[in-house]
Structure formats: structure tokens, C-alpha cells
Amino acid sequence: TAPPGLIHSALGLPDTCALPQAPAAAATMSGPAAETPSAIQICRIMRPDDANVAGNVHGGTILKMIEEAGAIISTRHCNSQNGECCVAALAQVERTDFLSPMCIGEVAHVSAEITYTSKHSVEVQVHVMSENILTGTKKLTNKATLWYVPLSLKNVDKVLEVPPVVYSRQGQEEEGRKRYEAQKLERMETTWRNGDIVQPVLNPEPNTVSYSQSSLIHLVGPSDCTLHGFVHGGVTMKLMDEVAGIVAARHCKTNIVTASVDAINFYDKIRKGCVITISGRVTFTSNKSMEIEVLVDSDPVVDNSQKRYRAASAFFTYVSLSQEGKSLPVPQLVPETEDEKKRFEEGKGRYLQMKAKRQGQAEPQP
């Protein structure tokens, strides 16, 4: 059996160390039927090429590490019983909050734990801690919940059943079932957007949707993919964050930082050789934040039998910062068309809903 620090290499995850949280179980693993730990931790030092323009770690880099940890633990679990081999594919990332910036030179500790399994999906909860290795100081920087589905290696369009997880306390399964039903409903409500297309506009006015909307075109190569020829979910998430950051910077003309990501939905797999278009546009602004919708379309240019399709979508929230890192007011968006006005009101509803939720969590419990 490979040493724990080398287990990650089978999935092609560079510069990371995947450490099972239960070393005793890892030491006795001898095959798919052996007991699989339900929690792991990935550690990696943040390097200069991980930085954004403000000098902190790029939000997309953190999202990619979060997905790597989720992919490892969910794939391990789905192959923990004798049966058809499979790979866990990312289906959705629920709201992810960026609680504190991570600096270059710090060590990222990404902890992932399986918290619920349904018949065909796995819920993974991830926490990211940053460690200053000079002082030993640690702080929580990110929390996220991801959902994976197991796809057969013989037929990647076939979804397999998930082995049940052993719950550590009473009521945990019922809590997980409620979360599963909630994310399933939310995912169904977002599919109607799949026909939306971001169209360029000539000579747009400042502070309008068209002024800051941006697109990135990317040819999917081998380095973007798993060993089975499909794009890593983390690669797509990082590209989405880059486009959202460009949109935010164009709108504000200042330094910007990712504050949160609201439900990244993955609708279909992206294959090696496809050309993907990642488009972003501002949908709503409050006094100190802006919501940016990001759409990912895949074009299988070498396959005439398949048309262009929507592969993923998400809402990113950014804040504007001064050179000293202090929060700045965000220029107010000027929606022009009826569709833009409708998206603005929908974004306002999401903003108010999340604001009320945060205030409710902050209230002292009796």
C-alpha cells in the first residue's frame, strides 16, 4: 500500500498531501472492501503563483483545493465496497463563504468529511484553515458543502449507488436528508436559466451590465482533466472565479475580493478537447457588495453529433477594497433592459434573504 502522503497521486493532484483523519484505518487498507476513513485533510503551502493582484491567495485556488479534497474522499467512499469501479463527479457546491483572507507563505489545511449519503449522491463538508508556520497561528478561512455522484468507469453516463455511511450520532441522517432535499429543490429551480446567453454590446455606458460583462474562452487540455478525460470540477470553479473577478474589477475600478459563492451547479460533464466559454455579468449591487452571475458553456468542436450546452452556473459575491484593504462603496448598477431589471430584483431577494439569515445566526440564543 502506498504511504498516506502519496495516495493523492493516483488522482493527479499536484503539490498536495492527502492525509486520512483515521491513520489506523488507512494503515490497514488493502483493497476496495477495506474500511475507508470518512474524513481526510489536504495540506499545501501557498506560493507566489497562487496570489491575486492584491497579494492574497486567489479565491479560485482555494475553491480548487476544496474540490480536490471532496473528490478524493467521495471517490474513496464510493469504491469502498466490492463492485463496479467509479469516479465521484461534482454535481453542486452549496454556498461557500470566504471568512478571512489567506496569505502567501501560509499553509492551507483543507479538511473534508462525508456527512450524508443518499442512494446516488454524497455530501461532503469542507473546512479550510490557514496556518502561519512562523507563529503557529491558525484561522478558519472557508467553509463549503459539496455534492458528488458516482459515475461508472465503464460507462460515465451511468450513475451508481452509493455505499451507506456510518453516522456518528443520532439524528445526523435525518438532518442530512433535509439538506439533500433542500439542495435538490434549489438545483431544479436554477435549470430554467440554462438558455441565458451573455451578448456583447457596443459602446456601453459605465455602471451598466454591458460595461463590465466579460467572457473567457478556454480549450480544455489534458492538464485540466481527470485520468478519465473529464474536466476537474475545481478547474472549472477557478476559471469561473477568474471571470467573476474581472467583471467585479471592471465595475468597481478598485481591488476586489471574493466574499462568497452561492451554489455552483454542474449540469453536464466537460470533456477533453471541448472549448468552454465562461461568461460573467453583474446582476445586483448593494452598498458594499456586488452579485455576479457566471455561466459556463461547452462546445464539443471535434464532435459534430453534440451541440453547445450549458455545463455550469453560479453566483459570486465580491466586495470592493481600498489599497489599505478597507471596504469601499460599490458603484450602483444601472439595469437597462427588462431582463436586467428582473435579474436585479432576483439578486436583491437573494441578498436580503442571506442578510436575514446572517442576522438570525448572530442573535444570541436564549
Side-chain angles (χ1 to χ4, degrees):
T1 304
L6 298 179
I7 293 176
H8 72 276
S9 61
L11 289 177
L13 305 177
D15 299 323
T16 58
C17 182
L19 302 177
Q21 296 290 76
T28 59
M29 282 169 35
S30 60
E35 183 180 356
T36 302
S38 61
I40 64 166
Q41 185 179 90
I42 287 179
C43 302
R44 182 161 84 83
I45 191 165
M46 297 293 98
R47 307 178 187 278
D49 57 356
D50 296 316
N52 56 24
V53 293
N56 297 321
V57 175
H58 195 293
T61 299
I62 297 173
L63 289 172
K64 188 176 179 181
M65 289 191 298
I66 288 173
E67 198 280 327
E68 286 176 350
I72 292 172
I73 193 169
S74 54
T75 298
R76 276 181 180 168
H77 178 77
C78 291
N79 288 280
S80 61
Q81 296 183 0
N82 289 325
E84 194 170 345
C85 290
C86 63
V87 61
L90 183 62
Q92 186 190 53
V93 181
E94 292 185 22
R95 182 179 175 88
T96 304
D97 289 308
F98 288 72
L99 306 173
S100 180
M102 188 180 297
C103 300
I104 301 304
E106 292 184 330
V107 173
H109 298 268
V110 187
S111 302
E113 180 182 9
I114 294 175
T115 49
Y116 177 73
T117 56
S118 68
K119 185 177 181 179
H120 295 294
S121 64
V122 181
E123 180 192 53
V124 180
Q125 294 192 9
V126 181
H127 290 74
V128 184
M129 301 284 294
S130 65
E131 177 192 5
N132 185 319
I133 54 178
L134 301 180
T135 65
T137 303
K138 292 184 179 181
K139 60 184 178 182
L140 179 67
T141 62
N142 298 82
K143 294 190 296 184
T145 302
L146 304 90
W147 292 89
Y148 289 84
V149 294
L151 303 180
S152 168
L153 293 183
K154 297 179 180 179
N155 177 9
V156 292
D157 293 321
K158 179 183 177 182
V159 178
L160 302 179
E161 292 191 11
V162 176
V165 70
V166 178
Y167 298 101
S168 58
R169 60 179 174 81
Q170 189 175 7
Q172 190 174 1
E173 182 176 9
E174 182 59 29
E175 293 170 2
R177 184 179 293 109
K178 290 179 180 179
R179 294 193 301 270
Y180 169 75
E181 294 297 336
Q183 66 85 27
K184 187 177 179 181
L185 179 62
E186 190 278 335
R187 184 175 171 84
M188 291 174 61
E189 291 175 347
T190 61
T191 55
W192 69 271
R193 289 188 173 275
N194 286 0
D196 281 7
I197 299 175
V198 177
Q199 298 285 3
V201 176
L202 294 176
N203 303 318
E205 294 292 327
N207 298 336
T208 62
V209 175
S210 302
Y211 184 80
S212 58
Q213 68 182 26
S214 305
S215 295
L216 182 153
I217 299 175
H218 179 75
L219 175 64
V220 176
S223 62
D224 300 319
C225 298
T226 66
L227 298 177
H228 314 293
F230 298 97
V231 175
H232 281 290
V235 170
T236 305
M237 291 159 64
K238 186 175 182 181
L239 291 171
M240 295 172 80
D241 184 68
E242 288 180 359
V243 170
I246 293 170
V247 173
R250 281 179 166 171
H251 183 77
C252 293
K253 304 294 185 184
T254 63
N255 286 333
I256 47 85
V257 64
T258 312
S260 65
V261 185
D262 190 7
I264 304 178
N265 288 296
F266 293 84
Y267 306 112
D268 205 343
K269 300 178 291 295
I270 303 175
R271 292 170 171 79
K272 181 174 64 178
C274 287
V275 173
I276 55 175
T277 303
I278 305 99
S279 304
R281 60 190 172 196
V282 181
T283 51
F284 169 75
T285 54
S286 66
N287 291 331
K288 291 189 176 181
S289 68
M290 70 203 96
E291 180 190 73
I292 297 163
E293 182 181 34
V294 181
L295 308 172
V296 180
D297 294 313
S298 180
D299 188 1
V301 290
V302 296
D303 184 2
N304 293 329
S305 64
Q306 190 173 11
K307 296 181 180 179
R308 181 186 177 107
Y309 60 91
R310 177 65 40 83
S313 68
F315 289 102
F316 287 72
T317 300
Y318 277 76
V319 293
S320 176
L321 300 177
S322 67
Q323 294 293 336
E324 294 76 29
K326 295 183 179 180
S327 178
L328 293 175
V330 171
Q332 292 305 290
L333 182 68
V334 181
E336 297 176 297
T337 68
E338 290 302 317
D339 284 342
E340 290 172 359
K341 293 176 182 177
K342 180 180 178 182
R343 285 194 292 268
F344 186 91
E345 291 302 319
E346 292 171 347
K348 184 178 180 180
R350 286 186 290 270
Y351 168 77
L352 293 175
Q353 184 179 25
M354 187 51 59
K355 185 177 180 180
K357 184 177 180 180
R358 286 198 302 267
Q359 291 175 342
Q361 291 174 343
E363 291 178 357
Q365 298 298 318

